[in-house]
Amino acid sequence: MAALSSHRILICVGTSGVAAGAEKVAAAFQSELERRGLLEKFDIVRTGDRGLFRDVLVDVITPELGRVVYEFIQPEHVAEIVEEHLVHGRPVEKRRAGQDYEAFFKNQTRIVLANCGEIDPEHIEDYRRVGGYQALRKAMDMTPQAVIEEVHKAGLRGRGGAGFSTGQKWRFCREAKGDLKYVICNADEGDPGAFMDRSLLEGDPHAVIEGMIIAGYAIGAREGVIYCRAEYPLAVRRLTLAIEQARREGCLGSNILGCGFDFDVSIMQGAGAFVCGEETALIASIEGRRGTPRVKPPFPAHQGLWGQPTLINNVETFGNIPPILRRGWEWFAAIGTERSRGTKVFALAGQVRNAGLVEVPMGMTLRELIFGAGGGMSKRRIGLKGVQLGGPSGGCVPESLLDTPIDYESITGTGAIMGSGGLIIMDERTCMVDVARYFLSFTVAESCGQCTPCRVGLKRMHEALEEITAGHGTPEHIAFLQEMGETIKSTALCGLGQTAANPVLTTLRYFRHEYDAHVHDKECPAHACKALRHFEVIESACTKCGRCFKACPANAIEWKKGQAARIDLERCTRCQTCYGACDFMAIR
Amino acid sequence: MSQEIQADADLRAADIEAVIVPFRGRNGMLIPLLQKMQERFGYVPPESIGPIAKALDVFPVEIYGILTFYAQFCLEPRGRHTIRVCQGTACYIMGGKDLLDHVQGKLGIQVEQTTPDRRFTLERVACLGCCGMAPVVMVDNDFYGRCTPAKMDEVLELYK
Ligand SMILES: Cc1cc2nc3c(=O)[nH]c(=O)nc-3n(C[C@H](O)[C@H](O)[C@H](O)COP(=O)(O)O)c2cc1C
Ligand code: FES
């Protein structure tokens, strides 16, 4: 890229941007600028995703008007933006990002995600412009021990799930005996509802690499491996580019920044196994074996990759390192709570208005997060039932606990876990028994099969849940789930098994009445379980809008303007489309 | 005719060999090698197992162990188009399950299967990273957000 132009067009081209058509929008800008001879004047910058799903986000930055953000942009809108805004200096008001966008970003503290959606991840110069690789410079002027001390005093805890003190882990690795040491970046991101690691790798790959180099310097390693999920091709491509650029600029390779320190990084692509996110399984996988966990200790810090001392940290953990070194531990430690410092990124999804990645200071409550940055529920009239935190290892927390502050200990106290930060918002239409069944079907499929509690126990629990959601449940099933869940929790070999029952145990704890309704009344209170569905229109709630009539693919709804709808049960296929289409909870 | 088949097999063996060569004798390279093999053929041809075992000095059973452990690997030829129905948490809650049921019913195959005419291979994935458009379906490299059974029917028509 040439010297930074003061006229820039930023287009969010991460995975979700691409899914929404960002490449086509970028191409449209390219040809429109070319047609008008403006290519010289404006830089088109392809950034990573900024975290909010507003289809394609486009920023136009000019010295005269500053930054103007447009949302939901499609190729056909481009000509107008170029004509009005770029040529005549009149922003296209109707396409500007609105209140939701503002609320989403106003309520965040972005440290790790600060550069995502702001810089061009494919150019190291752009990363340098915002302070990139200054932390590395600074670290090189310190002793390794001082670097570890800095991270320790900052109070950073691992963002991969368990929340272990990062400084302490680094110290263990530093003190472990071995000539060869390794640094591994865990980018396997297995939680099926979390994607912050991918977004960070796509939007700011250099930050993660810089964090790894600093870690390598601190513990005395010469080699680093990024273990990345195979489903993340764009992340792999940008990482590969970033590694090449860092090597070229002397930030990676031999004699880094002329300080006599050698360190290099390679990428290994995972092959699709959730359990490989577990650190010992991940190491087995890098060594070319089946990714099965082993009993700890010995911990990887003492005996890791190829039997050598190995540091494993999560992507987001590494992403925190450059800002901490650049701005000092005092700055970082002032954010968050006494025992959980800094921020956490959450993947906010489900029935929430602003789905996306949010980064908030620890200590904020779930309610503040959901109704602040999250903008509240996606359907205003339908209430929040609960939130699921931490994916398959986590749990469901009811509405009544939304004032729980976000920190490792408080979240664990509810029976859920912080996990990697998946946060799914569920409204009254979600069946909690079915959610528990969903997570178990995931862990049953992903169990590595080594230990019996996990291999057989989870399967039996899943069968019991299938029975209940199919309307064949008995009270014994519920008692069995409780007992088996607790047994697996205390007897499984690795973290996968030990936590897999959490979704069941927490829903039993907070949503027991839903289980009872399935078993005793053969009814699914949320009308989500197909076998227990029989839809009807509640006439008193029906606003006669006809949306269900238009949505029904089976022509099973009778409706005329000004009349309440009626469902023909003969024709109804129980597909639930009408239920989803109704904004007034008038179909049950 | 049999000569032709023989010639085909020879060509294939040469292709397989070409994939293996850069990995020969390298420790810990089994998974990357299998990934390359799958990239080349769209699946891991069973006849490649023997040569791989020799090249890396491992037992064939170890290779089968890897192939069946990791979800990514596939031992059969695939369809011309791959449909990935997201079953991540957000998509599941927003109707992804009914969507998958619908596609399975329509194509008459289950997940991990290919239609007899090799038009589609059906897969499930856990989160495509665009939960805000849930439920999401990916066909080859194209994304379709906010899918409904009816929209799915239209989408599938685009792929022959
Ligand atoms: C079943 C299972 C899956 C895991 N998946 C991940 C993952 O996808 N990403 C991750 O960073 N850590 C994952 N972990 C946690 C890792 O084992 C490890 O604790 C973590 O990478 C350490 O990094 P941190 O200290 O920076 O958090 C998983 C653990 C278990 C038991
Ligand atoms: S759950 Fe489907 S895209 Fe995230």
Tab-separated table of all heavy atoms in Angstrom, chain A residues 19 53 55 192 195 198 229-230 269-272 276 285 287-291 349 424 426 434 437-439 575-576, chain B residues 28 31 35 65-66 69-73 87-90 92-94 97-98 126-133 143 146:
chain	number	residue	atom	x	y	z
A	19	ALA	N	-19.970	-13.397	3.370
A	19	ALA	CA	-21.257	-14.100	3.289
A	19	ALA	C	-22.361	-13.140	2.866
A	19	ALA	O	-23.304	-13.522	2.178
A	19	ALA	CB	-21.588	-14.740	4.633
A	53	PHE	N	-23.335	-7.581	12.673
A	53	PHE	CA	-23.926	-8.073	11.431
A	53	PHE	C	-24.868	-7.034	10.867
A	53	PHE	O	-26.010	-6.933	11.271
A	53	PHE	CB	-24.674	-9.373	11.687
A	53	PHE	CG	-23.752	-10.492	12.004
A	53	PHE	CD1	-23.583	-10.909	13.294
A	53	PHE	CD2	-23.046	-11.111	11.004
A	53	PHE	CE1	-22.718	-11.933	13.587
A	53	PHE	CE2	-22.171	-12.137	11.285
A	53	PHE	CZ	-22.008	-12.553	12.578
A	55	ASP	N	-24.996	-6.768	7.430
A	55	ASP	CA	-24.611	-7.180	6.111
A	55	ASP	C	-23.292	-6.515	5.772
A	55	ASP	O	-22.338	-6.676	6.490
A	55	ASP	CB	-25.723	-6.914	5.103
A	55	ASP	CG	-26.904	-7.860	5.375
A	55	ASP	OD1	-26.823	-8.602	6.365
A	55	ASP	OD2	-27.863	-7.878	4.626
A	192	PRO	N	-19.484	-24.395	19.134
A	192	PRO	CA	-20.260	-24.159	17.909
A	192	PRO	C	-21.003	-22.840	17.894
A	192	PRO	O	-21.777	-22.595	16.966
A	192	PRO	CB	-21.232	-25.343	17.884
A	192	PRO	CG	-21.374	-25.748	19.302
A	192	PRO	CD	-20.042	-25.482	19.949
A	195	PHE	N	-16.975	-17.350	17.581
A	195	PHE	CA	-16.135	-17.140	16.400
A	195	PHE	C	-15.232	-15.929	16.579
A	195	PHE	O	-14.811	-15.308	15.620
A	195	PHE	CB	-17.001	-17.000	15.140
A	195	PHE	CG	-18.131	-16.047	15.303
A	195	PHE	CD1	-17.975	-14.728	14.934
A	195	PHE	CD2	-19.327	-16.448	15.862
A	195	PHE	CE1	-18.996	-13.820	15.124
A	195	PHE	CE2	-20.359	-15.538	16.055
A	195	PHE	CZ	-20.196	-14.235	15.687
A	198	ARG	N	-11.618	-16.579	15.236
A	198	ARG	CA	-11.521	-16.446	13.800
A	198	ARG	C	-11.539	-14.979	13.365
A	198	ARG	O	-10.742	-14.560	12.528
A	198	ARG	CB	-12.670	-17.160	13.112
A	198	ARG	CG	-12.539	-16.822	11.667
A	198	ARG	CD	-13.578	-17.151	10.707
A	198	ARG	NE	-14.891	-17.250	11.177
A	198	ARG	CZ	-15.748	-18.097	10.646
A	198	ARG	NH1	-15.357	-18.924	9.717
A	198	ARG	NH2	-16.962	-18.127	11.058
A	229	ARG	N	-8.384	-24.171	13.046
A	229	ARG	CA	-9.463	-24.999	12.503
A	229	ARG	C	-9.444	-24.990	10.981
A	229	ARG	O	-9.268	-23.951	10.361
A	229	ARG	CB	-10.806	-24.405	12.919
A	229	ARG	CG	-11.514	-25.189	13.976
A	229	ARG	CD	-12.827	-24.532	14.277
A	229	ARG	NE	-13.871	-25.064	13.412
A	229	ARG	CZ	-15.158	-24.830	13.605
A	229	ARG	NH1	-15.549	-24.059	14.587
A	229	ARG	NH2	-16.056	-25.348	12.801
A	230	ALA	N	-9.655	-26.155	10.391
A	230	ALA	CA	-9.597	-26.253	8.939
A	230	ALA	C	-10.737	-25.484	8.268
A	230	ALA	O	-10.635	-25.085	7.111
A	230	ALA	CB	-9.662	-27.712	8.510
A	269	GLN	N	-3.143	-26.989	10.213
A	269	GLN	CA	-4.596	-26.959	10.121
A	269	GLN	C	-5.202	-28.179	10.791
A	269	GLN	O	-4.802	-29.300	10.539
A	269	GLN	CB	-5.031	-26.926	8.665
A	269	GLN	CG	-4.737	-25.602	8.015
A	269	GLN	CD	-5.474	-25.453	6.709
A	269	GLN	OE1	-6.657	-25.772	6.625
A	269	GLN	NE2	-4.794	-24.986	5.693
A	270	GLY	N	-6.186	-27.928	11.646
A	270	GLY	CA	-6.916	-29.014	12.294
A	270	GLY	C	-7.722	-29.772	11.258
A	270	GLY	O	-7.812	-29.382	10.105
A	271	ALA	N	-8.307	-30.884	11.683
A	271	ALA	CA	-9.029	-31.690	10.706
A	271	ALA	C	-10.449	-31.981	11.164
A	271	ALA	O	-11.063	-32.952	10.762
A	271	ALA	CB	-8.261	-32.988	10.448
A	272	GLY	N	-10.969	-31.094	12.008
A	272	GLY	CA	-12.364	-31.237	12.368
A	272	GLY	C	-12.611	-32.191	13.516
A	272	GLY	O	-13.190	-33.254	13.321
A	276	CYS	N	-9.918	-31.695	19.912
A	276	CYS	CA	-8.562	-31.204	19.652
A	276	CYS	C	-8.323	-29.817	20.226
A	276	CYS	O	-7.198	-29.343	20.244
A	276	CYS	CB	-8.252	-31.218	18.165
A	276	CYS	SG	-7.893	-32.866	17.576
A	285	SER	N	-2.478	-34.165	18.070
A	285	SER	CA	-2.862	-33.927	16.686
A	285	SER	C	-1.709	-33.285	15.899
A	285	SER	O	-1.459	-33.664	14.746
A	285	SER	CB	-4.103	-33.041	16.652
A	285	SER	OG	-4.524	-32.838	15.341
A	287	GLU	N	1.314	-33.777	16.444
A	287	GLU	CA	2.311	-34.826	16.248
A	287	GLU	C	1.850	-35.865	15.230
A	287	GLU	O	2.541	-36.851	14.982
A	287	GLU	CB	2.628	-35.493	17.594
A	287	GLU	CG	3.367	-34.556	18.546
A	287	GLU	CD	3.574	-35.154	19.937
A	287	GLU	OE1	3.056	-36.257	20.191
A	287	GLU	OE2	4.252	-34.521	20.752
A	288	GLY	N	0.645	-35.656	14.680
A	288	GLY	CA	0.178	-36.532	13.613
A	288	GLY	C	-0.597	-37.740	14.093
A	288	GLY	O	-0.782	-38.703	13.361
A	289	ARG	N	-1.055	-37.691	15.337
A	289	ARG	CA	-1.819	-38.818	15.857
A	289	ARG	C	-3.290	-38.464	15.994
A	289	ARG	O	-3.694	-37.343	15.728
A	289	ARG	CB	-1.243	-39.220	17.224
A	289	ARG	CG	0.170	-39.778	17.120
A	289	ARG	CD	0.713	-40.178	18.465
A	289	ARG	NE	1.177	-39.043	19.227
A	289	ARG	CZ	0.745	-38.733	20.466
A	289	ARG	NH1	-0.146	-39.473	21.059
A	289	ARG	NH2	1.226	-37.681	21.099
A	290	ARG	N	-4.086	-39.469	16.419
A	290	ARG	CA	-5.475	-39.181	16.748
A	290	ARG	C	-5.480	-38.191	17.899
A	290	ARG	O	-4.683	-38.301	18.818
A	290	ARG	CB	-6.193	-40.454	17.191
A	290	ARG	CG	-6.554	-41.399	16.074
A	290	ARG	CD	-6.910	-42.753	16.625
A	290	ARG	NE	-8.203	-42.779	17.272
A	290	ARG	CZ	-9.300	-43.306	16.732
A	290	ARG	NH1	-9.241	-43.845	15.529
A	290	ARG	NH2	-10.443	-43.323	17.373
A	291	GLY	N	-6.406	-37.239	17.824
A	291	GLY	CA	-6.422	-36.206	18.851
A	291	GLY	C	-7.145	-36.650	20.103
A	291	GLY	O	-8.269	-36.246	20.359
A	349	ALA	N	-25.362	-14.047	20.023
A	349	ALA	CA	-26.195	-14.549	18.927
A	349	ALA	C	-27.513	-15.054	19.483
A	349	ALA	O	-27.752	-15.015	20.683
A	349	ALA	CB	-25.459	-15.657	18.184
A	424	ILE	N	-25.487	-17.143	23.829
A	424	ILE	CA	-26.670	-17.293	22.989
A	424	ILE	C	-27.905	-16.847	23.753
A	424	ILE	O	-28.173	-17.331	24.857
A	424	ILE	CB	-26.863	-18.766	22.549
A	424	ILE	CG1	-25.558	-19.370	22.059
A	424	ILE	CG2	-27.962	-18.887	21.516
A	424	ILE	CD1	-25.086	-18.908	20.717
A	426	MET	N	-31.823	-16.647	24.316
A	426	MET	CA	-32.972	-17.469	23.938
A	426	MET	C	-34.248	-16.845	24.465
A	426	MET	O	-34.304	-16.408	25.618
A	426	MET	CB	-32.779	-18.866	24.511
A	426	MET	CG	-31.560	-19.535	23.897
A	426	MET	SD	-31.155	-21.124	24.617
A	426	MET	CE	-30.553	-20.623	26.192
A	434	ASP	N	-34.784	-29.211	24.705
A	434	ASP	CA	-34.235	-29.428	23.372
A	434	ASP	C	-32.831	-28.845	23.250
A	434	ASP	O	-31.968	-29.414	22.585
A	434	ASP	CB	-35.173	-28.807	22.325
A	434	ASP	CG	-34.748	-29.168	20.921
A	434	ASP	OD1	-34.590	-30.374	20.660
A	434	ASP	OD2	-34.550	-28.253	20.108
A	437	ARG	N	-30.562	-31.248	24.775
A	437	ARG	CA	-30.414	-32.373	23.858
A	437	ARG	C	-29.465	-32.022	22.711
A	437	ARG	O	-28.608	-32.800	22.319
A	437	ARG	CB	-31.782	-32.746	23.278
A	437	ARG	CG	-31.828	-34.078	22.561
A	437	ARG	CD	-33.089	-34.188	21.718
A	437	ARG	NE	-33.101	-33.163	20.670
A	437	ARG	CZ	-32.435	-33.258	19.528
A	437	ARG	NH1	-31.758	-34.341	19.254
A	437	ARG	NH2	-32.447	-32.273	18.658
A	438	TYR	N	-29.592	-30.796	22.232
A	438	TYR	CA	-28.724	-30.347	21.151
A	438	TYR	C	-27.256	-30.417	21.553
A	438	TYR	O	-26.425	-30.966	20.836
A	438	TYR	CB	-29.097	-28.914	20.746
A	438	TYR	CG	-28.005	-28.203	19.999
A	438	TYR	CD1	-27.771	-28.503	18.657
A	438	TYR	CD2	-27.178	-27.273	20.621
A	438	TYR	CE1	-26.743	-27.882	17.964
A	438	TYR	CE2	-26.159	-26.651	19.946
A	438	TYR	CZ	-25.938	-26.956	18.614
A	438	TYR	OH	-24.920	-26.351	17.936
A	439	PHE	N	-26.933	-29.866	22.718
A	439	PHE	CA	-25.524	-29.856	23.124
A	439	PHE	C	-25.011	-31.270	23.352
A	439	PHE	O	-23.870	-31.583	23.030
A	439	PHE	CB	-25.315	-28.987	24.362
A	439	PHE	CG	-25.263	-27.533	24.032
A	439	PHE	CD1	-26.241	-26.662	24.468
A	439	PHE	CD2	-24.236	-27.033	23.243
A	439	PHE	CE1	-26.204	-25.320	24.134
A	439	PHE	CE2	-24.180	-25.690	22.908
A	439	PHE	CZ	-25.170	-24.833	23.350
A	575	CYS	N	-44.363	-27.493	10.702
A	575	CYS	CA	-43.031	-27.011	10.341
A	575	CYS	C	-42.638	-25.788	11.144
A	575	CYS	O	-41.502	-25.382	11.146
A	575	CYS	CB	-42.948	-26.693	8.854
A	575	CYS	SG	-43.868	-25.213	8.401
A	576	GLN	N	-43.594	-25.155	11.806
A	576	GLN	CA	-43.275	-24.061	12.722
A	576	GLN	C	-43.069	-22.717	12.032
A	576	GLN	O	-42.775	-21.727	12.690
A	576	GLN	CB	-41.992	-24.420	13.494
A	576	GLN	CG	-41.995	-23.927	14.901
A	576	GLN	CD	-40.658	-24.206	15.568
A	576	GLN	OE1	-39.824	-24.914	15.032
A	576	GLN	NE2	-40.452	-23.680	16.751
B	28	GLY	N	5.484	-36.726	11.777
B	28	GLY	CA	4.349	-35.878	12.151
B	28	GLY	C	3.627	-35.248	10.983
B	28	GLY	O	2.867	-34.310	11.146
B	31	ILE	N	-1.152	-36.068	8.998
B	31	ILE	CA	-2.403	-35.326	8.800
B	31	ILE	C	-2.291	-34.325	7.642
B	31	ILE	O	-3.147	-34.316	6.750
B	31	ILE	CB	-2.869	-34.666	10.114
B	31	ILE	CG1	-3.228	-35.764	11.117
B	31	ILE	CG2	-4.057	-33.746	9.883
B	31	ILE	CD1	-3.548	-35.273	12.509
B	35	GLN	N	-4.540	-34.345	4.249
B	35	GLN	CA	-5.285	-33.151	3.831
B	35	GLN	C	-4.971	-32.801	2.387
B	35	GLN	O	-5.858	-32.453	1.601
B	35	GLN	CB	-4.958	-31.970	4.761
B	35	GLN	CG	-5.663	-32.075	6.114
B	35	GLN	CD	-5.181	-31.047	7.125
B	35	GLN	OE1	-4.052	-30.548	7.044
B	35	GLN	NE2	-6.022	-30.743	8.104
B	65	GLY	N	-7.154	-45.093	11.432
B	65	GLY	CA	-7.486	-44.499	12.728
B	65	GLY	C	-7.638	-42.995	12.617
B	65	GLY	O	-8.585	-42.401	13.131
B	66	ILE	N	-6.712	-42.373	11.897
B	66	ILE	CA	-6.760	-40.925	11.704
B	66	ILE	C	-7.964	-40.548	10.833
B	66	ILE	O	-8.736	-39.644	11.150
B	66	ILE	CB	-5.482	-40.444	10.986
B	66	ILE	CG1	-4.233	-40.771	11.823
B	66	ILE	CG2	-5.559	-38.964	10.654
B	66	ILE	CD1	-3.924	-39.807	12.895
B	69	PHE	N	-11.156	-40.773	12.710
B	69	PHE	CA	-11.256	-39.921	13.898
B	69	PHE	C	-11.656	-38.501	13.522
B	69	PHE	O	-12.521	-37.895	14.134
B	69	PHE	CB	-9.915	-39.901	14.639
B	69	PHE	CG	-9.944	-39.085	15.897
B	69	PHE	CD1	-10.360	-39.650	17.091
B	69	PHE	CD2	-9.563	-37.749	15.892
B	69	PHE	CE1	-10.398	-38.898	18.262
B	69	PHE	CE2	-9.598	-36.991	17.060
B	69	PHE	CZ	-10.017	-37.572	18.241
B	70	TYR	N	-11.021	-37.962	12.509
B	70	TYR	CA	-11.244	-36.570	12.144
B	70	TYR	C	-12.386	-36.428	11.142
B	70	TYR	O	-12.409	-37.113	10.115
B	70	TYR	CB	-9.970	-35.952	11.570
B	70	TYR	CG	-8.855	-35.841	12.583
B	70	TYR	CD1	-7.820	-36.761	12.625
B	70	TYR	CD2	-8.870	-34.810	13.518
B	70	TYR	CE1	-6.804	-36.644	13.564
B	70	TYR	CE2	-7.860	-34.695	14.461
B	70	TYR	CZ	-6.822	-35.607	14.481
B	70	TYR	OH	-5.830	-35.495	15.415
B	71	ALA	N	-13.299	-35.524	11.480
B	71	ALA	CA	-14.512	-35.380	10.676
B	71	ALA	C	-14.219	-34.916	9.253
B	71	ALA	O	-14.996	-35.154	8.334
B	71	ALA	CB	-15.447	-34.383	11.357
B	72	GLN	N	-13.093	-34.261	9.059
B	72	GLN	CA	-12.807	-33.653	7.762
B	72	GLN	C	-12.621	-34.691	6.655
B	72	GLN	O	-12.913	-34.423	5.494
B	72	GLN	CB	-11.536	-32.815	7.894
B	72	GLN	CG	-11.165	-32.042	6.656
B	72	GLN	CD	-9.766	-31.445	6.782
B	72	GLN	OE1	-8.906	-31.964	7.482
B	72	GLN	NE2	-9.555	-30.350	6.092
B	73	PHE	N	-12.116	-35.859	7.012
B	73	PHE	CA	-11.735	-36.813	5.970
B	73	PHE	C	-12.904	-37.642	5.466
B	73	PHE	O	-13.813	-37.995	6.188
B	73	PHE	CB	-10.622	-37.730	6.483
B	73	PHE	CG	-9.367	-36.988	6.796
B	73	PHE	CD1	-8.871	-36.949	8.082
B	73	PHE	CD2	-8.706	-36.276	5.808
B	73	PHE	CE1	-7.726	-36.239	8.382
B	73	PHE	CE2	-7.553	-35.556	6.097
B	73	PHE	CZ	-7.063	-35.543	7.386
B	87	GLN	N	-25.313	-26.135	11.947
B	87	GLN	CA	-25.989	-26.593	13.156
B	87	GLN	C	-25.265	-26.049	14.380
B	87	GLN	O	-25.172	-26.701	15.414
B	87	GLN	CB	-26.037	-28.127	13.197
B	87	GLN	CG	-26.792	-28.735	12.032
B	87	GLN	CD	-28.288	-28.514	12.126
B	87	GLN	OE1	-28.944	-29.037	13.003
B	87	GLN	NE2	-28.834	-27.704	11.221
B	88	GLY	N	-24.677	-24.862	14.232
B	88	GLY	CA	-24.123	-24.171	15.389
B	88	GLY	C	-25.280	-23.752	16.287
B	88	GLY	O	-26.438	-23.821	15.890
B	89	THR	N	-24.954	-23.315	17.485
B	89	THR	CA	-26.003	-23.041	18.466
B	89	THR	C	-27.013	-22.015	17.962
B	89	THR	O	-28.213	-22.223	18.040
B	89	THR	CB	-25.384	-22.526	19.779
B	89	THR	OG1	-24.222	-23.290	20.046
B	89	THR	CG2	-26.349	-22.676	20.920
B	90	ALA	N	-26.518	-20.922	17.428
B	90	ALA	CA	-27.428	-19.870	16.990
B	90	ALA	C	-28.336	-20.376	15.874
B	90	ALA	O	-29.548	-20.183	15.904
B	90	ALA	CB	-26.643	-18.653	16.518
B	92	TYR	N	-29.123	-23.416	15.165
B	92	TYR	CA	-30.015	-24.455	15.665
B	92	TYR	C	-31.245	-23.819	16.295
B	92	TYR	O	-32.381	-24.183	16.006
B	92	TYR	CB	-29.283	-25.316	16.693
B	92	TYR	CG	-30.115	-26.459	17.204
B	92	TYR	CD1	-30.207	-27.641	16.493
B	92	TYR	CD2	-30.842	-26.338	18.394
B	92	TYR	CE1	-30.991	-28.685	16.944
B	92	TYR	CE2	-31.622	-27.377	18.856
B	92	TYR	CZ	-31.698	-28.552	18.134
B	92	TYR	OH	-32.482	-29.589	18.578
B	93	ILE	N	-30.985	-22.802	17.133
B	93	ILE	CA	-32.084	-22.168	17.848
B	93	ILE	C	-32.994	-21.375	16.912
B	93	ILE	O	-34.187	-21.275	17.108
B	93	ILE	CB	-31.507	-21.269	18.963
B	93	ILE	CG1	-31.047	-22.177	20.097
B	93	ILE	CG2	-32.506	-20.249	19.451
B	93	ILE	CD1	-30.319	-21.483	21.173
B	94	MET	N	-32.413	-20.869	15.840
B	94	MET	CA	-33.207	-20.075	14.909
B	94	MET	C	-33.845	-20.932	13.802
B	94	MET	O	-34.231	-20.401	12.764
B	94	MET	CB	-32.336	-18.983	14.282
B	94	MET	CG	-31.634	-18.077	15.275
B	94	MET	SD	-32.727	-17.058	16.258
B	94	MET	CE	-32.976	-15.674	15.141
B	97	LYS	N	-32.477	-26.776	12.728
B	97	LYS	CA	-32.791	-28.199	12.803
B	97	LYS	C	-33.890	-28.554	11.801
B	97	LYS	O	-33.778	-29.524	11.054
B	97	LYS	CB	-33.246	-28.523	14.229
B	97	LYS	CG	-33.653	-29.957	14.436
B	97	LYS	CD	-33.967	-30.179	15.905
B	97	LYS	CE	-35.104	-31.135	16.088
B	97	LYS	NZ	-36.001	-30.746	17.182
B	98	ASP	N	-34.945	-27.749	11.781
B	98	ASP	CA	-36.017	-28.018	10.828
B	98	ASP	C	-35.505	-27.904	9.397
B	98	ASP	O	-35.924	-28.635	8.506
B	98	ASP	CB	-37.185	-27.040	11.030
B	98	ASP	CG	-37.983	-27.392	12.273
B	98	ASP	OD1	-37.814	-28.519	12.769
B	98	ASP	OD2	-38.745	-26.536	12.755
B	126	ALA	N	-20.592	-26.812	12.454
B	126	ALA	CA	-20.889	-26.133	13.696
B	126	ALA	C	-20.390	-24.711	13.596
B	126	ALA	O	-19.213	-24.453	13.739
B	126	ALA	CB	-20.230	-26.852	14.859
B	127	CYS	N	-21.263	-23.820	13.290
B	127	CYS	CA	-21.034	-22.375	13.215
B	127	CYS	C	-20.157	-21.958	12.041
B	127	CYS	O	-18.981	-22.257	11.974
B	127	CYS	CB	-20.458	-21.794	14.493
B	127	CYS	SG	-20.584	-19.995	14.520
B	128	LEU	N	-20.761	-21.246	11.133
B	128	LEU	CA	-20.036	-20.702	9.991
B	128	LEU	C	-19.559	-19.289	10.281
B	128	LEU	O	-18.988	-18.630	9.428
B	128	LEU	CB	-20.940	-20.703	8.754
B	128	LEU	CG	-21.234	-22.096	8.184
B	128	LEU	CD1	-22.418	-22.054	7.233
B	128	LEU	CD2	-20.019	-22.645	7.467
B	129	GLY	N	-19.820	-18.810	11.483
B	129	GLY	CA	-19.306	-17.500	11.874
B	129	GLY	C	-20.135	-16.342	11.384
B	129	GLY	O	-19.673	-15.218	11.370
B	130	CYS	N	-21.352	-16.585	10.953
B	130	CYS	CA	-22.232	-15.468	10.622
B	130	CYS	C	-23.581	-15.704	11.279
B	130	CYS	O	-24.612	-15.693	10.617
B	130	CYS	CB	-22.340	-15.233	9.127
B	130	CYS	SG	-22.017	-16.652	8.116
B	131	CYS	N	-23.542	-15.889	12.585
B	131	CYS	CA	-24.734	-16.219	13.363
B	131	CYS	C	-25.817	-15.155	13.233
B	131	CYS	O	-26.987	-15.431	13.466
B	131	CYS	CB	-24.379	-16.375	14.825
B	131	CYS	SG	-22.954	-17.413	15.121
B	132	GLY	N	-25.423	-13.933	12.904
B	132	GLY	CA	-26.402	-12.866	12.781
B	132	GLY	C	-27.351	-13.093	11.615
B	132	GLY	O	-28.399	-12.474	11.531
B	133	MET	N	-26.970	-13.992	10.702
B	133	MET	CA	-27.838	-14.293	9.555
B	133	MET	C	-28.474	-15.670	9.713
B	133	MET	O	-28.914	-16.268	8.756
B	133	MET	CB	-27.053	-14.254	8.245
B	133	MET	CG	-26.126	-13.066	8.145
B	133	MET	SD	-25.494	-12.704	6.492
B	133	MET	CE	-25.285	-14.270	5.746
B	143	PHE	N	-22.834	-18.398	0.509
B	143	PHE	CA	-23.591	-18.388	1.756
B	143	PHE	C	-25.036	-17.988	1.499
B	143	PHE	O	-25.294	-17.108	0.689
B	143	PHE	CB	-23.010	-17.352	2.716
B	143	PHE	CG	-21.713	-17.758	3.331
B	143	PHE	CD1	-20.519	-17.549	2.654
B	143	PHE	CD2	-21.674	-18.330	4.588
B	143	PHE	CE1	-19.314	-17.900	3.229
B	143	PHE	CE2	-20.476	-18.688	5.169
B	143	PHE	CZ	-19.293	-18.479	4.501
B	146	ARG	N	-30.548	-16.415	6.699
B	146	ARG	CA	-31.971	-16.348	7.036
B	146	ARG	C	-32.775	-17.310	6.177
B	146	ARG	O	-33.739	-16.939	5.515
B	146	ARG	CB	-32.479	-14.923	6.880
B	146	ARG	CG	-31.694	-13.959	7.764
B	146	ARG	CD	-32.121	-12.522	7.681
B	146	ARG	NE	-31.114	-11.700	8.340
B	146	ARG	CZ	-30.219	-10.958	7.693
B	146	ARG	NH1	-30.228	-10.877	6.391
B	146	ARG	NH2	-29.322	-10.271	8.367
